[in-house]
């Protein structure tokens, strides 16, 4: 299968491979949760992963961040196999930004401290410099004026934008989003998606698990459809949404569109 269906596709697909999953298998006991996954995400590319609940999308994201180990195959980031432990693993976590459905901010730290903690502790950046960079990022996601508040004082959409700024503060090579808008009230979804679209336009490499098909259509270079632990189909959003090839994808789309 190829993602380059038309010559007008963005150049992202020609970027060098950044995240490569090569014949990856994982089991949870008897459950074959990732089945022979081959996936290459190129530098600057936005890959949207969709599929029914339980198909292995979160496990895939967590494996790229090594929050889950894999049983077979290999995952590499920027040409290096994922490290197993120690300092190298901490460094990897810094290079792979992750945004979850639940925002996971530190409740007893201010918004600013939430964003500067990683750069200061993990990257060894001086506080004044970390503060400056954090304020730039908070400004970018529209939260700079709330920097002194605590997470509970912000709406869900605002907290999620802080979570994105926090991940960006580590200067990640790739950003993983696992259903970042699923826990949000409808009126807050757009403000988070807008930040993600902006990020995509700035050339960030992104893997996004989402049910927001509008985002997939406009921001994705490629849609990957998973079912039962396997990649069933991958294509440009145009092709995928207008002309899904597999019965599983047709069935899924008929239920959500
Ligand atoms: P998705 O994100 O597509 O909904 P997940 O990756 O969360 O799918 O889960 C895939 C399957 O693996 C589901 O059947 C889920 O119940 C199972 N699963 C996920 N995490 C674990 C775990 N830690 N232990 C056992 N089973 C798990
Ligand atoms: Mg999930």
């Amino acid at each position: 299968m190829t993602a380059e269906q038309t010559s007008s596709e963005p150049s992202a697909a020609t970027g060098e491979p950044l995240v490569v999953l090569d014949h990856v298998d994982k089991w949870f006991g008897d459950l074959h949760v990732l089945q022979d996954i081959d996936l290459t995400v190129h530098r600057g590319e936005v890959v949207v992963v969709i599929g029914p609940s339980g198909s292995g999308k979160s496990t895939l994201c967590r494996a790229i961040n090594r929050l889950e180990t894999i049983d077979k195959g290999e995952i590499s980031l920027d040409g290096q196999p994922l490290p197993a432990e120690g300092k190298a693993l901490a460094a990897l976590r810094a290079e792979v930004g992750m945004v979850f459905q639940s925002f996971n901010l530190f409740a007893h730290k201010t918004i600013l401290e939430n964003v500067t903690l990683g750069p200061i502790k993990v990257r060894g950046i001086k506080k004044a410099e970390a503060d400056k960079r954090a304020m730039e990022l908070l400004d970018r996601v529209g939260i700079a004026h709330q920097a002194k508040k605590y997470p509970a004082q912000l709406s869900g959409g605002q907290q999620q934008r802080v979570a994105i700024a926090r991940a960006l503060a580590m200067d990640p090579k790739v950003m993983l989003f696992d259903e970042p808008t699923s826990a949000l009230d409808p009126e807050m979804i757009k403000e988070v998606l807008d930040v993600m679209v902006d990020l995509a336009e700035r050339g960030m490499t992104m893997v996004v698990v989402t049910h927001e098909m509008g985002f997939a259509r406009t921001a994705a270079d490629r849609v990957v459809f998973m079912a039962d632990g396997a990649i069933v189909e991958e294509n440009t959003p145009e092709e995928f949404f207008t002309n899904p090839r597999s019965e599983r994808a047709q069935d899924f789309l008929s239920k959500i569109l």
Side-chain angles (χ1 to χ4, degrees):
M1 278 184 274
T2 168
E4 291 115 306
Q5 293 285 317
T6 68
S7 56
S8 63
E9 275 309 296
S11 57
T14 61
E16 69 214 76
L18 185 62
V19 181
V20 178
L21 289 87
D22 184 20
H23 292 292
V24 169
D25 282 281
K26 179 175 180 65
W27 284 263
F28 283 123
D30 291 338
L31 179 68
H32 197 175
V33 63
L34 295 178
Q35 303 185 16
D36 197 25
I37 300 286
D38 277 325
L39 178 67
T40 299
V41 183
H42 304 85
R43 205 179 288 278
E45 194 179 19
V46 177
V47 172
V48 168
V49 180
I50 66 174
S53 178
S55 54
K57 307 180 298 295
S58 292
T59 306
L60 178 78
C61 281
R62 292 168 58 81
I64 294 173
N65 204 0
R66 220 179 179 289
L67 291 168
E68 296 282 0
T69 56
I70 57 174
D71 297 310
K72 269 169 79 178
E74 193 175 83
I75 304 179
S76 62
L77 175 70
D78 217 358
Q80 302 291 320
L82 295 196
E85 56 191 14
K87 274 195 181 151
L89 181 56
L92 169 85
R93 297 260 164 79
E95 290 183 339
V96 182
M98 183 126 185
V99 176
F100 303 88
Q101 182 175 330
S102 54
F103 331 119
N104 296 351
L105 297 176
F106 300 109
H108 302 292
K109 297 206 178 290
T110 65
I111 297 309
L112 181 65
E113 287 165 350
N114 264 276
V115 179
T116 57
L117 191 70
I120 292 170
K121 288 247 156 118
V122 180
R123 292 267 196 229
I125 292 171
K126 293 216 173 66
K127 183 175 177 303
E129 196 188 328
D131 282 354
K132 183 167 173 282
R133 170 89 173 125
M135 287 307 294
E136 285 167 12
L137 288 167
L138 287 172
D139 187 46
R140 212 164 110 187
V141 302
I143 309 283
H145 56 297
Q146 319 250 47
K148 289 186 178 144
K149 292 188 178 173
Y150 287 84
Q153 296 174 280
L154 270 56
S155 72
Q158 290 169 335
Q159 289 188 55
Q160 193 60 305
R161 287 185 277 149
V162 173
I164 293 172
R166 180 177 61 173
L168 291 175
M170 300 297 271
D171 274 327
K173 288 180 176 162
V174 54
M175 286 281 286
L176 309 178
F177 292 87
D178 190 1
E179 300 201 23
T181 60
S182 295
L184 298 177
D185 292 333
E187 72 272 21
M188 291 168 191
I189 291 175
K190 186 172 179 295
E191 66 191 45
V192 172
L193 292 179
D194 285 348
V195 166
M196 292 167 62
V197 167
D198 175 64
L199 203 51
E201 284 171 353
R202 288 166 182 262
M204 177 58 77
T205 309
M206 295 163 64
V207 176
V208 183
V209 178
T210 186
H211 299 298
E212 293 295 329
M213 296 302 135
F215 176 84
R217 278 177 189 273
T218 55
D221 294 301
R222 192 149 47 109
V223 172
V224 168
F225 175 72
M226 284 184 77
D228 294 331
I231 294 178
V232 175
E233 190 163 336
E234 56 181 301
N235 218 326
T236 59
E238 296 81 13
E239 269 298 302
F240 181 76
F241 287 113
T242 54
N243 194 17
R245 288 183 291 239
S246 64
E247 222 171 279
R248 291 298 304 262
Q250 288 164 13
D251 183 51
F252 179 76
L253 288 174
S254 75
K255 283 175 183 145
I256 59 157
L257 292 181

